[in-house]
Structure formats: structure tokens, C-alpha cells
Amino acid sequence: MKPLLWFMALLGVVFGGLVAYTTLTRETVRVFVVVDSSFAMTEHWDLTEAELDRLDDESFREFALATEKRSVHPWQPTLDLGATTPFGPCNDDFDRVKDYMEVAEADELLLITTEGGCDTSTLTNWEIISIDG
């Protein structure tokens, strides 16, 4: 019985060490998320917030958030729209978004919009998440 306890203890130490090493050496992925805050998103706003919640549940990720009109928050572990609400037409040229420093710092670029919301043809290397109820 004693050799089995020693084996189990050694196995626990080795496994724990591997988990600690993997956790401590894994790099954080930076994800820049832009949310379409135009009138077209009004009826999908609850779905948008749910999608942001789903995204920030992923481990080893850091997020910066903006709309096509303004920056919402810098790098942090969660996504929070705060008091942002949909208004106005979509800023289709995305020039303001392309100038955000987070675009250059990000490992992944995401746009959350709806079908027919914003013209996304100028966004290369972006993942487009379409929110449709």
C-alpha cells in the first residue's frame, strides 16, 4: 500500500508541475473587438452583449473594445460596453477604427455587426461576427 501512495504522490507532483508550467508560460492573446453601434444594431443589442460575454470567457485573452465611432476601453480581461448604445448611421469607412493603436497591438481583430449594418469590404484580416436575431 505504501508504494502505491508514493506513486500517487509523485504522479500528483509531476502533473501539477506540468499544469503550472503550461499556465505560467502561455502567452496572452490580445483581441481587439469593434462593435457596430449603428441604428441597425438596436434590435440586436442584447445579442451583442451576450456575444461579448461569450468572447471574454475564453482563457488567456486580453481585450480592447471600441465602436466604429469611438474607443470604449483599453486592454483588460473582460469586455464591457458600459453605457454605449446604438445611434446614428454606421461609419462605413472605418478610418477611425484603423487608426486606433490597438489595431497594431492586437493578435486578433473582430468586428461584431449585423447583416446590412456596415460595409466591411475595407476590413482585411478581420473576423466578422454577424449578429442576427
Side-chain angles (χ1 to χ4, degrees), residues 101-133:
M101 68 179 178
E102 290 88 354
V103 171
E105 297 171 347
D107 299 308
E108 295 177 19
L109 302 168
L110 301 175
L111 171 67
I112 299 175
T113 188
T114 188
E115 194 68 34
C118 293
D119 175 17
T120 60
S121 61
T122 62
L123 296 178
T124 57
N125 302 321
W126 284 70
E127 179 183 343
I128 311 298
I129 299 173
S130 183
I131 301 290
D132 292 309

PDB file of all heavy atoms in Angstrom, residues 101-133:
ATOM      1  N   MET A 101      -4.525  52.562 -31.964  1.00  0.00           N
ATOM      2  CA  MET A 101      -3.252  51.878 -31.730  1.00  0.00           C
ATOM      3  C   MET A 101      -3.463  50.392 -31.433  1.00  0.00           C
ATOM      4  O   MET A 101      -2.596  49.570 -31.681  1.00  0.00           O
ATOM      5  CB  MET A 101      -2.470  52.547 -30.602  1.00  0.00           C
ATOM      6  CG  MET A 101      -3.078  52.410 -29.242  1.00  0.00           C
ATOM      7  SD  MET A 101      -2.051  53.217 -28.016  1.00  0.00           S
ATOM      8  CE  MET A 101      -3.036  52.949 -26.581  1.00  0.00           C
ATOM      9  N   GLU A 102      -4.643  50.025 -30.929  1.00  0.00           N
ATOM     10  CA  GLU A 102      -4.925  48.632 -30.610  1.00  0.00           C
ATOM     11  C   GLU A 102      -4.905  47.737 -31.856  1.00  0.00           C
ATOM     12  O   GLU A 102      -4.634  46.541 -31.760  1.00  0.00           O
ATOM     13  CB  GLU A 102      -6.276  48.497 -29.901  1.00  0.00           C
ATOM     14  CG  GLU A 102      -6.307  49.042 -28.498  1.00  0.00           C
ATOM     15  CD  GLU A 102      -6.658  50.522 -28.422  1.00  0.00           C
ATOM     16  OE1 GLU A 102      -6.764  51.178 -29.472  1.00  0.00           O
ATOM     17  OE2 GLU A 102      -6.828  51.031 -27.308  1.00  0.00           O
ATOM     18  N   VAL A 103      -5.182  48.310 -33.030  1.00  0.00           N
ATOM     19  CA  VAL A 103      -5.155  47.517 -34.263  1.00  0.00           C
ATOM     20  C   VAL A 103      -3.759  46.947 -34.482  1.00  0.00           C
ATOM     21  O   VAL A 103      -3.600  45.770 -34.804  1.00  0.00           O
ATOM     22  CB  VAL A 103      -5.616  48.353 -35.475  1.00  0.00           C
ATOM     23  CG1 VAL A 103      -5.380  47.619 -36.774  1.00  0.00           C
ATOM     24  CG2 VAL A 103      -7.087  48.728 -35.331  1.00  0.00           C
ATOM     25  N   ALA A 104      -2.737  47.749 -34.257  1.00  0.00           N
ATOM     26  CA  ALA A 104      -1.356  47.297 -34.443  1.00  0.00           C
ATOM     27  C   ALA A 104      -0.910  46.356 -33.323  1.00  0.00           C
ATOM     28  O   ALA A 104      -0.089  45.470 -33.541  1.00  0.00           O
ATOM     29  CB  ALA A 104      -0.422  48.494 -34.517  1.00  0.00           C
ATOM     30  N   GLU A 105      -1.460  46.528 -32.134  1.00  0.00           N
ATOM     31  CA  GLU A 105      -1.056  45.716 -30.979  1.00  0.00           C
ATOM     32  C   GLU A 105      -1.769  44.364 -30.903  1.00  0.00           C
ATOM     33  O   GLU A 105      -1.311  43.463 -30.216  1.00  0.00           O
ATOM     34  CB  GLU A 105      -1.346  46.485 -29.681  1.00  0.00           C
ATOM     35  CG  GLU A 105      -0.575  47.770 -29.541  1.00  0.00           C
ATOM     36  CD  GLU A 105      -1.064  48.611 -28.354  1.00  0.00           C
ATOM     37  OE1 GLU A 105      -2.142  48.330 -27.797  1.00  0.00           O
ATOM     38  OE2 GLU A 105      -0.348  49.560 -28.009  1.00  0.00           O
ATOM     39  N   ALA A 106      -2.884  44.232 -31.604  1.00  0.00           N
ATOM     40  CA  ALA A 106      -3.743  43.049 -31.465  1.00  0.00           C
ATOM     41  C   ALA A 106      -3.215  41.850 -32.240  1.00  0.00           C
ATOM     42  O   ALA A 106      -2.622  41.981 -33.304  1.00  0.00           O
ATOM     43  CB  ALA A 106      -5.154  43.376 -31.937  1.00  0.00           C
ATOM     44  N   ASP A 107      -3.481  40.670 -31.662  1.00  0.00           N
ATOM     45  CA  ASP A 107      -3.215  39.407 -32.339  1.00  0.00           C
ATOM     46  C   ASP A 107      -4.418  39.001 -33.192  1.00  0.00           C
ATOM     47  O   ASP A 107      -4.268  38.295 -34.186  1.00  0.00           O
ATOM     48  CB  ASP A 107      -2.927  38.301 -31.319  1.00  0.00           C
ATOM     49  CG  ASP A 107      -1.705  38.624 -30.474  1.00  0.00           C
ATOM     50  OD1 ASP A 107      -0.648  38.925 -31.052  1.00  0.00           O
ATOM     51  OD2 ASP A 107      -1.825  38.592 -29.224  1.00  0.00           O
ATOM     52  N   GLU A 108      -5.610  39.411 -32.768  1.00  0.00           N
ATOM     53  CA  GLU A 108      -6.842  39.108 -33.491  1.00  0.00           C
ATOM     54  C   GLU A 108      -7.688  40.373 -33.569  1.00  0.00           C
ATOM     55  O   GLU A 108      -7.738  41.153 -32.618  1.00  0.00           O
ATOM     56  CB  GLU A 108      -7.654  38.021 -32.775  1.00  0.00           C
ATOM     57  CG  GLU A 108      -6.982  36.680 -32.712  1.00  0.00           C
ATOM     58  CD  GLU A 108      -7.791  35.645 -31.938  1.00  0.00           C
ATOM     59  OE1 GLU A 108      -9.017  35.845 -31.763  1.00  0.00           O
ATOM     60  OE2 GLU A 108      -7.197  34.654 -31.509  1.00  0.00           O
ATOM     61  N   LEU A 109      -8.368  40.552 -34.708  1.00  0.00           N
ATOM     62  CA  LEU A 109      -9.251  41.694 -34.925  1.00  0.00           C
ATOM     63  C   LEU A 109     -10.649  41.172 -35.211  1.00  0.00           C
ATOM     64  O   LEU A 109     -10.840  40.356 -36.114  1.00  0.00           O
ATOM     65  CB  LEU A 109      -8.758  42.526 -36.113  1.00  0.00           C
ATOM     66  CG  LEU A 109      -7.331  43.069 -36.012  1.00  0.00           C
ATOM     67  CD1 LEU A 109      -6.867  43.618 -37.351  1.00  0.00           C
ATOM     68  CD2 LEU A 109      -7.253  44.131 -34.932  1.00  0.00           C
ATOM     69  N   LEU A 110     -11.640  41.628 -34.423  1.00  0.00           N
ATOM     70  CA  LEU A 110     -13.027  41.158 -34.572  1.00  0.00           C
ATOM     71  C   LEU A 110     -13.961  42.353 -34.749  1.00  0.00           C
ATOM     72  O   LEU A 110     -13.815  43.365 -34.062  1.00  0.00           O
ATOM     73  CB  LEU A 110     -13.493  40.396 -33.335  1.00  0.00           C
ATOM     74  CG  LEU A 110     -12.733  39.153 -32.904  1.00  0.00           C
ATOM     75  CD1 LEU A 110     -13.298  38.629 -31.595  1.00  0.00           C
ATOM     76  CD2 LEU A 110     -12.814  38.091 -33.966  1.00  0.00           C
ATOM     77  N   LEU A 111     -14.925  42.202 -35.638  1.00  0.00           N
ATOM     78  CA  LEU A 111     -15.998  43.179 -35.782  1.00  0.00           C
ATOM     79  C   LEU A 111     -17.309  42.461 -35.548  1.00  0.00           C
ATOM     80  O   LEU A 111     -17.569  41.413 -36.150  1.00  0.00           O
ATOM     81  CB  LEU A 111     -16.008  43.807 -37.183  1.00  0.00           C
ATOM     82  CG  LEU A 111     -17.239  44.678 -37.492  1.00  0.00           C
ATOM     83  CD1 LEU A 111     -17.254  45.936 -36.627  1.00  0.00           C
ATOM     84  CD2 LEU A 111     -17.299  45.021 -38.956  1.00  0.00           C
ATOM     85  N   ILE A 112     -18.138  43.009 -34.667  1.00  0.00           N
ATOM     86  CA  ILE A 112     -19.472  42.470 -34.423  1.00  0.00           C
ATOM     87  C   ILE A 112     -20.456  43.427 -35.082  1.00  0.00           C
ATOM     88  O   ILE A 112     -20.506  44.611 -34.739  1.00  0.00           O
ATOM     89  CB  ILE A 112     -19.757  42.333 -32.913  1.00  0.00           C
ATOM     90  CG1 ILE A 112     -18.755  41.365 -32.283  1.00  0.00           C
ATOM     91  CG2 ILE A 112     -21.190  41.874 -32.688  1.00  0.00           C
ATOM     92  CD1 ILE A 112     -18.868  41.241 -30.779  1.00  0.00           C
ATOM     93  N   THR A 113     -21.228  42.904 -36.017  1.00  0.00           N
ATOM     94  CA  THR A 113     -22.184  43.717 -36.759  1.00  0.00           C
ATOM     95  C   THR A 113     -23.398  42.861 -37.094  1.00  0.00           C
ATOM     96  O   THR A 113     -23.507  41.728 -36.630  1.00  0.00           O
ATOM     97  CB  THR A 113     -21.536  44.313 -38.039  1.00  0.00           C
ATOM     98  OG1 THR A 113     -22.437  45.245 -38.634  1.00  0.00           O
ATOM     99  CG2 THR A 113     -21.120  43.247 -39.026  1.00  0.00           C
ATOM    100  N   THR A 114     -24.289  43.399 -37.874  1.00  0.00           N
ATOM    101  CA  THR A 114     -25.458  42.655 -38.332  1.00  0.00           C
ATOM    102  C   THR A 114     -25.510  42.698 -39.848  1.00  0.00           C
ATOM    103  O   THR A 114     -24.877  43.559 -40.470  1.00  0.00           O
ATOM    104  CB  THR A 114     -26.760  43.222 -37.717  1.00  0.00           C
ATOM    105  OG1 THR A 114     -27.828  42.358 -38.053  1.00  0.00           O
ATOM    106  CG2 THR A 114     -27.050  44.614 -38.191  1.00  0.00           C
ATOM    107  N   GLU A 115     -26.229  41.780 -40.426  1.00  0.00           N
ATOM    108  CA  GLU A 115     -26.377  41.743 -41.883  1.00  0.00           C
ATOM    109  C   GLU A 115     -26.919  43.082 -42.363  1.00  0.00           C
ATOM    110  O   GLU A 115     -27.934  43.556 -41.878  1.00  0.00           O
ATOM    111  CB  GLU A 115     -27.332  40.610 -42.271  1.00  0.00           C
ATOM    112  CG  GLU A 115     -27.310  40.263 -43.729  1.00  0.00           C
ATOM    113  CD  GLU A 115     -26.007  39.618 -44.177  1.00  0.00           C
ATOM    114  OE1 GLU A 115     -25.411  38.883 -43.375  1.00  0.00           O
ATOM    115  OE2 GLU A 115     -25.603  39.863 -45.314  1.00  0.00           O
ATOM    116  N   GLY A 116     -26.209  43.707 -43.272  1.00  0.00           N
ATOM    117  CA  GLY A 116     -26.645  45.002 -43.790  1.00  0.00           C
ATOM    118  C   GLY A 116     -26.298  46.166 -42.881  1.00  0.00           C
ATOM    119  O   GLY A 116     -26.713  47.285 -43.138  1.00  0.00           O
ATOM    120  N   GLY A 117     -25.536  45.925 -41.812  1.00  0.00           N
ATOM    121  CA  GLY A 117     -25.169  47.001 -40.896  1.00  0.00           C
ATOM    122  C   GLY A 117     -24.113  47.920 -41.483  1.00  0.00           C
ATOM    123  O   GLY A 117     -24.407  49.013 -41.938  1.00  0.00           O
ATOM    124  N   CYS A 118     -22.893  47.457 -41.519  1.00  0.00           N
ATOM    125  CA  CYS A 118     -21.770  48.245 -42.017  1.00  0.00           C
ATOM    126  C   CYS A 118     -21.159  47.568 -43.237  1.00  0.00           C
ATOM    127  O   CYS A 118     -21.163  46.350 -43.344  1.00  0.00           O
ATOM    128  CB  CYS A 118     -20.682  48.360 -40.954  1.00  0.00           C
ATOM    129  SG  CYS A 118     -21.139  49.321 -39.509  1.00  0.00           S
ATOM    130  N   ASP A 119     -20.600  48.375 -44.121  1.00  0.00           N
ATOM    131  CA  ASP A 119     -19.848  47.834 -45.252  1.00  0.00           C
ATOM    132  C   ASP A 119     -18.476  47.432 -44.721  1.00  0.00           C
ATOM    133  O   ASP A 119     -17.694  48.272 -44.296  1.00  0.00           O
ATOM    134  CB  ASP A 119     -19.715  48.892 -46.342  1.00  0.00           C
ATOM    135  CG  ASP A 119     -18.842  48.419 -47.494  1.00  0.00           C
ATOM    136  OD1 ASP A 119     -18.612  47.195 -47.617  1.00  0.00           O
ATOM    137  OD2 ASP A 119     -18.387  49.280 -48.265  1.00  0.00           O
ATOM    138  N   THR A 120     -18.194  46.151 -44.734  1.00  0.00           N
ATOM    139  CA  THR A 120     -16.953  45.632 -44.157  1.00  0.00           C
ATOM    140  C   THR A 120     -15.900  45.308 -45.214  1.00  0.00           C
ATOM    141  O   THR A 120     -14.877  44.718 -44.896  1.00  0.00           O
ATOM    142  CB  THR A 120     -17.245  44.370 -43.330  1.00  0.00           C
ATOM    143  OG1 THR A 120     -17.827  43.381 -44.193  1.00  0.00           O
ATOM    144  CG2 THR A 120     -18.180  44.670 -42.174  1.00  0.00           C
ATOM    145  N   SER A 121     -16.127  45.705 -46.451  1.00  0.00           N
ATOM    146  CA  SER A 121     -15.221  45.331 -47.533  1.00  0.00           C
ATOM    147  C   SER A 121     -13.814  45.909 -47.372  1.00  0.00           C
ATOM    148  O   SER A 121     -12.857  45.355 -47.910  1.00  0.00           O
ATOM    149  CB  SER A 121     -15.807  45.745 -48.884  1.00  0.00           C
ATOM    150  OG  SER A 121     -15.974  47.151 -48.936  1.00  0.00           O
ATOM    151  N   THR A 122     -13.657  46.989 -46.629  1.00  0.00           N
ATOM    152  CA  THR A 122     -12.327  47.583 -46.444  1.00  0.00           C
ATOM    153  C   THR A 122     -11.555  46.957 -45.287  1.00  0.00           C
ATOM    154  O   THR A 122     -10.397  47.290 -45.081  1.00  0.00           O
ATOM    155  CB  THR A 122     -12.432  49.104 -46.193  1.00  0.00           C
ATOM    156  OG1 THR A 122     -13.175  49.321 -44.989  1.00  0.00           O
ATOM    157  CG2 THR A 122     -13.104  49.805 -47.372  1.00  0.00           C
ATOM    158  N   LEU A 123     -12.195  46.074 -44.535  1.00  0.00           N
ATOM    159  CA  LEU A 123     -11.540  45.452 -43.383  1.00  0.00           C
ATOM    160  C   LEU A 123     -10.910  44.118 -43.790  1.00  0.00           C
ATOM    161  O   LEU A 123     -11.577  43.092 -43.836  1.00  0.00           O
ATOM    162  CB  LEU A 123     -12.544  45.233 -42.245  1.00  0.00           C
ATOM    163  CG  LEU A 123     -13.143  46.484 -41.626  1.00  0.00           C
ATOM    164  CD1 LEU A 123     -14.153  46.103 -40.562  1.00  0.00           C
ATOM    165  CD2 LEU A 123     -12.064  47.375 -41.039  1.00  0.00           C
ATOM    166  N   THR A 124      -9.629  44.154 -44.072  1.00  0.00           N
ATOM    167  CA  THR A 124      -8.927  42.914 -44.394  1.00  0.00           C
ATOM    168  C   THR A 124      -8.290  42.388 -43.113  1.00  0.00           C
ATOM    169  O   THR A 124      -7.935  43.155 -42.218  1.00  0.00           O
ATOM    170  CB  THR A 124      -7.851  43.153 -45.471  1.00  0.00           C
ATOM    171  OG1 THR A 124      -6.952  44.161 -45.002  1.00  0.00           O
ATOM    172  CG2 THR A 124      -8.483  43.592 -46.782  1.00  0.00           C
ATOM    173  N   ASN A 125      -8.158  41.091 -42.995  1.00  0.00           N
ATOM    174  CA  ASN A 125      -7.593  40.423 -41.815  1.00  0.00           C
ATOM    175  C   ASN A 125      -8.465  40.565 -40.571  1.00  0.00           C
ATOM    176  O   ASN A 125      -7.962  40.444 -39.458  1.00  0.00           O
ATOM    177  CB  ASN A 125      -6.173  40.907 -41.516  1.00  0.00           C
ATOM    178  CG  ASN A 125      -5.243  40.676 -42.675  1.00  0.00           C
ATOM    179  OD1 ASN A 125      -5.317  39.652 -43.338  1.00  0.00           O
ATOM    180  ND2 ASN A 125      -4.380  41.628 -42.948  1.00  0.00           N
ATOM    181  N   TRP A 126      -9.720  40.848 -40.729  1.00  0.00           N
ATOM    182  CA  TRP A 126     -10.664  40.950 -39.622  1.00  0.00           C
ATOM    183  C   TRP A 126     -11.610  39.763 -39.667  1.00  0.00           C
ATOM    184  O   TRP A 126     -12.034  39.331 -40.733  1.00  0.00           O
ATOM    185  CB  TRP A 126     -11.501  42.229 -39.725  1.00  0.00           C
ATOM    186  CG  TRP A 126     -10.775  43.478 -39.338  1.00  0.00           C
ATOM    187  CD1 TRP A 126      -9.765  44.075 -40.032  1.00  0.00           C
ATOM    188  CD2 TRP A 126     -10.999  44.273 -38.184  1.00  0.00           C
ATOM    189  NE1 TRP A 126      -9.367  45.209 -39.367  1.00  0.00           N
ATOM    190  CE2 TRP A 126     -10.108  45.364 -38.241  1.00  0.00           C
ATOM    191  CE3 TRP A 126     -11.885  44.184 -37.114  1.00  0.00           C
ATOM    192  CZ2 TRP A 126     -10.060  46.341 -37.259  1.00  0.00           C
ATOM    193  CZ3 TRP A 126     -11.852  45.160 -36.139  1.00  0.00           C
ATOM    194  CH2 TRP A 126     -10.942  46.229 -36.209  1.00  0.00           C
ATOM    195  N   GLU A 127     -11.985  39.265 -38.495  1.00  0.00           N
ATOM    196  CA  GLU A 127     -13.048  38.271 -38.409  1.00  0.00           C
ATOM    197  C   GLU A 127     -14.342  39.040 -38.186  1.00  0.00           C
ATOM    198  O   GLU A 127     -14.433  39.877 -37.279  1.00  0.00           O
ATOM    199  CB  GLU A 127     -12.811  37.307 -37.237  1.00  0.00           C
ATOM    200  CG  GLU A 127     -13.901  36.275 -37.098  1.00  0.00           C
ATOM    201  CD  GLU A 127     -13.727  35.354 -35.897  1.00  0.00           C
ATOM    202  OE1 GLU A 127     -12.625  35.287 -35.354  1.00  0.00           O
ATOM    203  OE2 GLU A 127     -14.727  34.722 -35.509  1.00  0.00           O
ATOM    204  N   ILE A 128     -15.324  38.775 -39.015  1.00  0.00           N
ATOM    205  CA  ILE A 128     -16.626  39.459 -38.920  1.00  0.00           C
ATOM    206  C   ILE A 128     -17.615  38.502 -38.263  1.00  0.00           C
ATOM    207  O   ILE A 128     -17.837  37.386 -38.746  1.00  0.00           O
ATOM    208  CB  ILE A 128     -17.160  39.862 -40.311  1.00  0.00           C
ATOM    209  CG1 ILE A 128     -16.090  40.582 -41.139  1.00  0.00           C
ATOM    210  CG2 ILE A 128     -18.431  40.680 -40.175  1.00  0.00           C
ATOM    211  CD1 ILE A 128     -15.600  41.878 -40.563  1.00  0.00           C
ATOM    212  N   ILE A 129     -18.166  38.930 -37.128  1.00  0.00           N
ATOM    213  CA  ILE A 129     -19.184  38.145 -36.429  1.00  0.00           C
ATOM    214  C   ILE A 129     -20.529  38.835 -36.689  1.00  0.00           C
ATOM    215  O   ILE A 129     -20.720  39.979 -36.292  1.00  0.00           O
ATOM    216  CB  ILE A 129     -18.902  38.063 -34.917  1.00  0.00           C
ATOM    217  CG1 ILE A 129     -17.558  37.379 -34.666  1.00  0.00           C
ATOM    218  CG2 ILE A 129     -20.041  37.344 -34.198  1.00  0.00           C
ATOM    219  CD1 ILE A 129     -17.116  37.403 -33.216  1.00  0.00           C
ATOM    220  N   SER A 130     -21.423  38.126 -37.369  1.00  0.00           N
ATOM    221  CA  SER A 130     -22.722  38.678 -37.706  1.00  0.00           C
ATOM    222  C   SER A 130     -23.754  38.290 -36.651  1.00  0.00           C
ATOM    223  O   SER A 130     -23.966  37.107 -36.392  1.00  0.00           O
ATOM    224  CB  SER A 130     -23.155  38.184 -39.088  1.00  0.00           C
ATOM    225  OG  SER A 130     -24.378  38.771 -39.438  1.00  0.00           O
ATOM    226  N   ILE A 131     -24.342  39.290 -36.032  1.00  0.00           N
ATOM    227  CA  ILE A 131     -25.374  39.078 -35.013  1.00  0.00           C
ATOM    228  C   ILE A 131     -26.727  39.274 -35.692  1.00  0.00           C
ATOM    229  O   ILE A 131     -27.057  40.362 -36.117  1.00  0.00           O
ATOM    230  CB  ILE A 131     -25.243  40.114 -33.861  1.00  0.00           C
ATOM    231  CG1 ILE A 131     -23.898  40.021 -33.201  1.00  0.00           C
ATOM    232  CG2 ILE A 131     -26.380  39.958 -32.870  1.00  0.00           C
ATOM    233  CD1 ILE A 131     -23.681  38.772 -32.392  1.00  0.00           C
ATOM    234  N   ASP A 132     -27.473  38.216 -35.812  1.00  0.00           N
ATOM    235  CA  ASP A 132     -28.809  38.313 -36.398  1.00  0.00           C
ATOM    236  C   ASP A 132     -29.767  37.531 -35.524  1.00  0.00           C
ATOM    237  O   ASP A 132     -29.523  36.385 -35.197  1.00  0.00           O
ATOM    238  CB  ASP A 132     -28.826  37.752 -37.819  1.00  0.00           C
ATOM    239  CG  ASP A 132     -28.030  38.617 -38.775  1.00  0.00           C
ATOM    240  OD1 ASP A 132     -28.256  39.825 -38.806  1.00  0.00           O
ATOM    241  OD2 ASP A 132     -27.158  38.059 -39.464  1.00  0.00           O
ATOM    242  N   GLY A 133     -30.849  38.191 -35.113  1.00  0.00           N
ATOM    243  CA  GLY A 133     -31.813  37.572 -34.215  1.00  0.00           C
ATOM    244  C   GLY A 133     -32.569  36.546 -34.869  1.00  0.00           C
ATOM    245  O   GLY A 133     -32.956  35.558 -34.922  1.00  0.00           O
TER     246      GLY A 133
END
